[in-house]
Amino acid sequence: MEKFIHGKYSDFVDWQDTDGNVINASDGGIIFVEGKYYWYGQAMRNKGFGLKGTGGQVTDVGVNMYSSPDLLNWKYEGVALAVENDVQSPLCPPLRFERPKIIYNDKTGKYVMWFHYIKAPGDHSFGEGGGEAGIAIADKVTGPYKFLYTLRPIDNEGVVRDCTLYKDSDGSAYFIYDRDETFDVPTRCIHIVKLTDDYLLPSDEYKRIAPCFRREAPAVIFRDGYYYMITSDMTAWEANKAKYFRAKSLLGEWEDMGDPYANDSEGNSFMSQTTYAFRIEGTDSFIHMAEKHNKENFLHCSYIWLPIDFVGDGRLSISYREEWSL
């Protein structure tokens, strides 16, 4: 692949690895290590949507990983975090390792992965295992990652839904997630929680981002004095209109900046949902990763990677392109 190919809004375009197989890395992220980019995500089944462990939205493999020197040609590196076929194990499939994110801890020398964990059979609930943060560590970026435990930051009343990780320039790390509270009137809202120095636990420092009420799928970047967070609405697997927010401090006050998509005439984020956003190494350019969910066959979801344009006055913009080159 010499350029990013997306096709029209309605197209589902398979991206292939260097062996010619469909890249299977749903709702994942990117980390740059020693001259290579590593792309990882949950391995989806070759099935459509279904409940009680029957659907393609759950995994019976784990978190896949790929590597690339140029962001275009991806080599399959194997399963970074694997399921365990033991009914007594919390990793017994079918389950979900949704939205895994990896950051490196300079102090401990460990790669740390956080993800949205849902135990077998992989259906959301408010009960134990129905929406937690899962944590795993590894000595190498490719793993294997050792699963440690699951938890709910802040308190057990807040179920974990869509999430991401952010490592700041001072080395501190933050878990950013859609907190779903078990009250009669849902109060879902994105929260930002500072992690302990080893990145393995939440600290007691956190912020409820009030303007991000009923938002999910957060992705965070920093540029020229502003943190930006791109999010989606809550319509399950159906695409919806995006919003982005900005702040001078992660635990400060966030401002609603509206829809980041410049030519989203249908108001559905180009039929996709935000997955991650990252800086191209050695540049001041950023890529926004999104995924077009194929509810008929989750193995054949489409990836949409687009450049982020900064248009002055602390604003950003993302325009759809059927294809583009770095």
Side-chain angles (χ1 to χ4, degrees):
M1 186 169 71
E2 296 181 357
K3 53 189 172 183
F4 299 106
I5 306 293
H6 303 128
K8 300 182 190 293
Y9 276 18
S10 57
D11 292 344
F12 284 98
V13 177
D14 283 342
W15 287 13
Q16 297 179 340
D17 65 18
T18 53
D19 292 324
N21 298 314
V22 174
I23 294 175
N24 190 0
S26 177
D27 287 336
I30 295 285
I31 185 171
F32 185 82
V33 180
E34 296 180 351
K36 287 185 180 180
Y37 296 92
Y38 291 86
W39 176 14
Y40 50 86
Q42 177 177 286
M44 307 292 264
R45 286 171 162 180
N46 192 15
K47 295 181 178 181
F49 180 78
L51 296 175
K52 297 183 179 179
T54 64
Q57 78 276 16
V58 297
T59 187
D60 48 21
V61 173
V63 176
N64 278 339
M65 183 166 286
Y66 302 80
S67 66
S68 172
D70 57 13
L71 291 172
L72 294 170
N73 300 286
W74 294 95
K75 175 187 174 184
Y76 179 58
E77 294 285 352
V79 181
L81 174 64
V83 301
E84 296 179 358
N85 291 303
D86 175 356
V87 294
Q88 302 301 318
S89 170
L91 306 187
C92 183
L95 76 164
R96 296 198 211 181
F97 295 140
E98 280 192 347
R99 298 187 173 269
K101 299 295 179 287
I102 298 170
I103 52 177
Y104 179 70
N105 190 303
D106 299 280
K107 294 180 180 178
T108 65
K110 300 290 186 182
Y111 292 91
V112 182
M113 178 191 298
W114 284 60
F115 49 90
H116 173 204
Y117 168 86
I118 309 171
K119 70 179 182 180
D123 299 329
H124 284 115
S125 75
F126 285 103
E128 182 180 353
E132 327 289 317
I135 298 94
I137 60 171
D139 294 322
K140 300 189 303 180
V141 64
T142 53
Y145 283 77
K146 178 185 177 183
F147 174 77
L148 297 181
Y149 39 70
T150 64
L151 53 81
R152 294 182 182 180
I154 304 174
D155 59 50
N156 285 329
E157 296 299 311
V159 177
V160 175
R161 304 302 187 199
D162 284 3
C163 60
T164 193
L165 282 179
Y166 184 77
K167 181 179 177 181
D168 213 348
S169 58
D170 64 357
S172 57
Y174 299 81
F175 182 63
I176 303 166
Y177 74 110
D178 163 28
R179 175 180 161 92
D180 192 358
E181 298 180 0
T182 58
F183 303 139
D184 291 337
V185 179
T187 57
R188 288 178 69 168
C189 188
I190 289 178
H191 286 61
I192 299 179
V193 182
K194 188 174 184 179
L195 301 182
T196 53
D197 286 347
D198 58 10
Y199 302 171
L200 300 182
L201 291 167
S203 74
D204 58 3
E205 291 185 67
Y206 69 90
K207 173 81 172 183
R208 180 182 186 271
I209 311 302
C212 295
F213 174 68
R214 294 197 61 79
R215 306 301 298 177
E216 63 180 7
V220 175
I221 59 173
F222 177 82
R223 185 181 185 273
D224 288 348
Y226 281 110
Y227 295 90
Y228 298 90
M229 178 161 51
I230 303 169
T231 70
S232 79
D233 200 350
M234 295 180 180
T235 52
W237 297 104
E238 299 295 333
N240 55 59
K241 190 172 184 178
K243 272 189 178 184
Y244 78 103
F245 305 81
R246 72 179 184 185
K248 290 287 190 177
S249 167
L250 280 167
L251 298 180
E253 299 304 316
W254 288 77
E255 178 184 4
D256 186 343
M257 302 298 293
D259 189 347
Y261 295 112
N263 57 346
D264 180 21
S265 59
E266 298 182 16
N268 59 14
S269 303
F270 314 136
M271 292 180 63
S272 68
Q273 186 181 38
T274 292
T275 294
Y276 195 61
F278 66 97
R279 184 192 299 267
I280 301 173
E281 197 67 20
T283 76
D284 197 30
S285 299
F286 292 79
I287 290 178
H288 175 262
M289 298 169 59
E291 187 167 317
K292 189 182 297 184
H293 296 127
N294 187 342
K295 293 193 303 176
E296 302 302 315
N297 190 329
F298 279 95
L299 178 62
H300 296 281
C301 292
S302 285
Y303 306 110
I304 300 177
W305 293 18
L306 293 167
I308 299 176
D309 298 315
F310 295 89
V311 293
D313 193 29
R315 296 179 178 272
L316 61 80
S317 176
I318 303 169
S319 298
Y320 190 81
R321 307 174 191 194
E322 294 188 6
E323 61 182 51
W324 67 283
S325 299
L326 287 168

